[in-house]
Amino acid sequence: DTTQTLIWRNVHDIDGNPAVTRDRGFARFNVATPCNPAGSTTLVQGWNRLQIAGKRQTHGRNFVSMPVFTGYIDSVSGSTVTTTTSGKGTDLSSLLTVAASRYYVEITNGAAAGHRYDLSSAGVDTFVLNLASANNTTNTLVSGIAGSNFVLRRHETLGEIYVNSEWNAAAAVGSADQILIYAGTGYLTYFNAAGTTPRWLLQGGAPISQNNLIIPPSRGMLVVHAQDNDSNEVLELGDLRYNNFRRPLTRGTTGFNFTSLGYPFDATPFELSMIATNNFVAAASPGSATQIQNWVGDTTIDSSGWTTNFLSASGSTGRWRLQGSVNTITSNSLLFKYSRSAQVLVIQDKLDWTHPLPWNPAPWVQPPLE
């Protein structure tokens, strides 16, 4: 069909750059042509390989899946978005390889940049948003969404991230590997149930496979091995998002939000604008202040418990301090790690929390409107 496929194997060894390894790296391709324009550069893609070792460690996903469709929002009516300029008569449902509910729309520029909405259905030059989905960054359409660009991506699922055959399976929960997900008041436990076809089941729930459970962006997870000295290798690869990342924080019943980052780069509280002047509550005592809790087992294998940092009332912005060692200032410490998750405890809702692009100008840009 006149196309040619080119494959670069062992891309991490191409230029001998020690910063690029089989375990972590980034790449983009520039295609030069004799045409006008003279070439094109892809968005940045990357990979990361994490060893989850010992009894318990946190895990988070930071890359995004390859786009299914990108485009421009011409108009919005109710929960229906029209993209005639970009769709050009395309039945967008023909691009979906699984149920529409497994996809989400992310706004990439304008007043609504960073907001994400799960999909309900798609049609010719249109798609319908599920405004009731708990995975959304907001359940109302943000004013000014028309005239913005968007990207349609597919959600990852529990069974895709943790392939059953690579994890210990058993009939009893305590003898199987587990994935714990925070659900507002406590953790839900999913265990790798043995059988003709191993599958993830919800402890205490009906014996129905949870392999298709959606793991939305920023979802924190705690991995529990059945055996203390076990280890699993988890590979993540995909695109780097090219817009600011939104992560609403809710007070709820407990104030806890188990979260991962929107980009595969470590971050400090100050880099993420976690300061008093950005409506994060600061106080003299940890129990009255915003907290960041890190799982000790992520750095010391087989250790348990959380290290707590809190936003102390100091100056206009506040300072992050280590609980139990208040003279240790952690405002510029990398408390948020890529491929890991942390618990953020808020005293009040912070629904507009936004992670800026890791650097500016970014090495990846909004795809041009065609």
Side-chain angles (χ1 to χ4, degrees):
D1 60 358
T2 75
T3 65
Q4 183 181 17
T5 300
L6 304 179
I7 299 175
W8 283 265
R9 302 190 187 279
N10 299 317
V11 66
H12 60 278
D13 286 334
I14 284 181
D15 64 357
N17 185 345
V20 180
T21 70
R22 66 181 295 274
D23 292 325
R24 179 168 169 81
F26 305 93
R28 58 179 174 172
F29 293 90
N30 178 267
V31 180
T33 72
C35 308
N36 185 19
S40 180
T41 303
T42 69
L43 295 175
V44 175
Q45 300 170 30
W47 64 93
N48 184 68
R49 193 186 315 271
L50 175 69
Q51 290 292 334
I52 300 179
K55 185 64 177 178
R56 297 178 181 87
Q57 287 193 329
T58 71
H59 184 210
R61 308 288 277 184
N62 312 129
F63 290 95
V64 289
S65 60
M66 304 297 179
V68 174
F69 187 82
T70 64
Y72 175 83
I73 297 176
D74 293 288
S75 63
V76 179
S77 177
S79 58
T80 300
V81 175
T82 300
T83 177
T84 306
T85 299
S86 303
K88 297 181 173 62
T90 302
D91 183 354
L92 300 183
S93 67
S94 66
L95 306 178
L96 311 182
T97 58
V98 294
S101 59
R102 295 265 297 276
Y103 295 84
Y104 67 98
V105 170
E106 185 162 356
I107 310 303
T108 57
N109 61 9
H115 277 297
R116 300 181 298 280
Y117 300 91
D118 276 3
L119 201 65
S120 178
S121 63
V124 176
D125 292 342
T126 63
F127 50 87
V128 179
L129 304 177
N130 176 11
L131 296 180
S133 174
N135 301 326
N136 297 347
T137 51
T138 175
N139 288 335
T140 59
L141 282 178
V142 178
S143 176
I145 193 173
S148 301
N149 287 79
F150 71 92
V151 59
L152 177 63
R153 301 186 192 274
R154 179 174 165 176
H155 277 300
E156 289 189 296
T157 65
L158 187 65
E160 290 171 338
I161 297 173
Y162 307 106
V163 179
N164 296 96
S165 60
E166 298 175 359
W167 298 81
N168 291 321
V173 177
S175 301
D177 288 343
Q178 305 166 23
I179 309 297
L180 275 59
I181 295 176
Y182 195 74
T185 57
Y187 285 90
L188 297 177
T189 298
Y190 297 86
F191 69 100
N192 194 23
T196 305
T197 303
R199 64 205 190 281
W200 293 101
L201 295 182
L202 173 62
Q203 182 181 13
I208 299 173
S209 175
Q210 299 296 313
N211 280 26
N212 287 332
L213 178 73
I214 288 174
I215 305 298
S218 81
R219 173 61 51 82
M221 294 166 286
L222 183 65
V223 179
V224 181
H225 280 127
Q227 301 176 20
D228 293 0
N229 60 352
D230 214 345
S231 178
N232 280 82
E233 185 178 87
V234 181
L235 175 67
E236 182 182 12
L237 50 87
D239 280 355
L240 274 69
R241 63 170 33 85
Y242 46 86
N243 52 271
N244 289 347
F245 180 70
R246 291 182 182 263
R247 204 312 183 176
L249 300 172
T250 58
R251 176 70 182 92
T253 303
T254 64
F256 284 108
N257 296 262
F258 199 31
T259 184
S260 59
L261 294 169
Y263 312 96
F265 306 103
D266 296 343
T268 73
F270 270 18
E271 286 175 336
L272 300 181
S273 298
M274 301 181 74
I275 53 179
T277 49
N278 193 27
N279 295 321
F280 283 91
V281 175
S285 63
S288 301
T290 309
Q291 298 179 12
I292 299 170
Q293 299 183 355
N294 300 108
W295 182 250
V296 179
D298 288 347
T299 53
T300 305
I301 294 175
D302 284 333
S303 295
S304 297
W306 302 88
T307 298
T308 298
N309 294 267
F310 71 101
L311 184 58
S312 67
S314 177
S316 60
T317 61
R319 283 186 176 181
W320 284 91
R321 300 178 186 271
L322 177 64
Q323 183 176 351
S325 180
V326 295
N327 291 327
T328 302
I329 308 300
T330 56
S331 302
N332 293 305
S333 298
L334 298 170
L335 302 183
F336 294 91
K337 302 288 188 179
Y338 69 84
S339 292
R340 300 295 189 181
S341 295
Q343 287 190 148
V344 178
L345 185 148
V346 293
I347 306 303
Q348 62 187 24
D349 286 351
K350 178 59 180 170
L351 304 181
D352 63 347
W353 188 33
T354 302
H355 305 183
L357 286 169
W359 54 71
N360 188 27
W364 56 96
V365 295
Q366 171 72 38
L369 177 65
E370 297 181 356

